[in-house]
Amino acid sequence: MSAACFRLADLTAGYGDRKVLRGLTADLPSGRFTALIGPNGSGKSTLLRTMAGLLPYGGGLTLLGREVRGVSRRQFGRLVGVVPQHFRPLYPFSVWEVIGMGRLPHRGFPARPLNAEDEALIEAAAERVGVRSLLSRDVTSLSGGEAQRAVLACVLVQDPPVLLLDEPTSALDPHQAARVLGLLRELAREGRTVAAAVHDVNAALPFIDDYLALKEGRFCSQGPVEALDGRVLESLYGAPFLSYRSERGDVMWRALCE
């Protein structure tokens, strides 16, 4: 069993007086790809924001044995990479410049210029996510899917041991979605800890190791992907599910209309 990367102990969080997460307890193991699943409004994005140190919380939340609220932002930048669901650039940076921002936690203060190693990392990350041909483009001119992949490349050059992603395939076509999910699986196999909120459970199933199922701000189920079955899905989404096998032999699930 892998050691815990994140440990949640009776975790609560929300926005002002509105509590969204209610008493969550779980371990996210290191070096595995964990999917956060659940209906809209269940708390997936709030949980990711809390794990990213962006929201105040009650209870316990540790990252690699350290309470998250006690980790400085610079230290967090070296440890955790975050990919938001929507990336809305306000300034016309080039894709190269956006990806290069991932090196900021490693460049000191004041930031030194990018060196040859940084530039090689930018090229490699752009190639890995399929945006190398876009490096000179104005990021404000990109499609949603292209911008999403550029942000993922930025996180890759940041080189953190932990990646948190909110609906990383929401703006991607099926081919690019499978490519990104496959990349996240590769990163987990390389030893990184990956946690992602996913909307399309079937698309994620062939790639993930574990799941956390959220409903109304509480965990209703969690475990290895092999334990995710129709009973769990029905309790989560309020509809019966029928299993079937894809042409590749993967177990898939289809919601049944009542």
Side-chain angles (χ1 to χ4, degrees):
M1 182 67 179
S2 301
C5 176
F6 278 100
R7 177 158 288 169
L8 289 59
D10 198 26
L11 178 71
T12 61
Y15 306 90
D17 294 332
R18 182 170 69 91
K19 293 299 179 189
V20 177
L21 307 179
R22 305 173 184 276
L24 302 184
T25 297
D27 285 352
L28 271 72
S30 298
R32 291 173 71 84
F33 183 2
T34 300
L36 310 182
I37 64 173
N40 293 337
S42 60
K44 301 185 297 295
S45 295
T46 301
L47 177 54
L48 286 172
R49 286 177 58 82
T50 305
M51 291 165 61
L54 300 175
L55 291 176
Y57 62 87
L61 176 61
T62 60
L63 167 62
L64 301 173
R66 300 179 59 186
E67 193 68 34
V68 164
R69 62 171 64 92
V71 180
S72 72
R73 296 316 300 174
R74 182 172 181 184
Q75 290 173 317
F76 224 92
R78 290 176 177 266
L79 293 173
V80 179
V82 179
V83 177
Q85 183 175 0
H86 302 292
F87 174 60
R88 300 182 180 88
L90 299 177
Y91 301 101
F93 293 112
S94 69
V95 173
W96 173 279
E97 290 170 320
V98 168
I99 297 174
M101 290 176 188
R103 296 304 297 165
L104 284 173
H106 304 275
R107 290 164 59 195
F109 184 82
R112 61 165 173 77
L114 294 172
N115 59 26
E117 179 185 1
D118 297 323
E119 293 176 354
L121 289 170
I122 292 170
E123 293 275 357
E127 180 70 30
R128 199 167 187 186
V129 304
V131 297
R132 187 167 185 174
S133 64
L134 307 177
L135 285 173
S136 62
R137 285 268 300 274
D138 176 340
V139 72
T140 62
S141 72
L142 301 183
S143 69
E146 290 169 338
Q148 192 82 346
R149 285 183 285 145
V151 175
L152 180 55
C154 175
V155 169
L156 291 183
V157 302
Q158 184 182 338
D159 196 28
V162 182
L163 282 76
L164 304 177
L165 308 97
D166 193 358
E167 300 281 3
T169 62
S170 61
L172 303 180
D173 62 47
H175 170 70
Q176 289 296 343
R179 180 173 179 174
V180 166
L181 289 167
L183 171 58
L184 297 179
R185 180 178 60 182
E186 290 175 11
L187 294 170
R189 297 297 180 269
E190 292 168 7
R192 301 179 199 269
T193 302
V194 180
V198 299
H199 178 72
D200 188 340
V201 176
N202 277 335
L205 280 176
F207 302 98
I208 64 175
D209 299 302
D210 305 292
Y211 74 93
L212 292 171
L214 274 161
K215 186 175 184 180
E216 297 178 350
R218 302 180 187 275
F219 289 139
C220 64
S221 181
Q222 55 186 282
V225 65
E226 294 81 11
L228 185 60
D229 58 18
R231 176 187 57 82
V232 171
L233 293 170
E234 181 172 356
S235 68
L236 193 59
Y237 295 104
F241 279 73
L242 180 70
S243 67
Y244 65 96
R245 288 197 176 271
S246 69
E247 292 184 359
R248 287 177 28 176
D250 299 315
V251 175
M252 301 279 109
W253 296 92
R254 176 168 61 88
L256 300 178
C257 297
E258 297 182 337

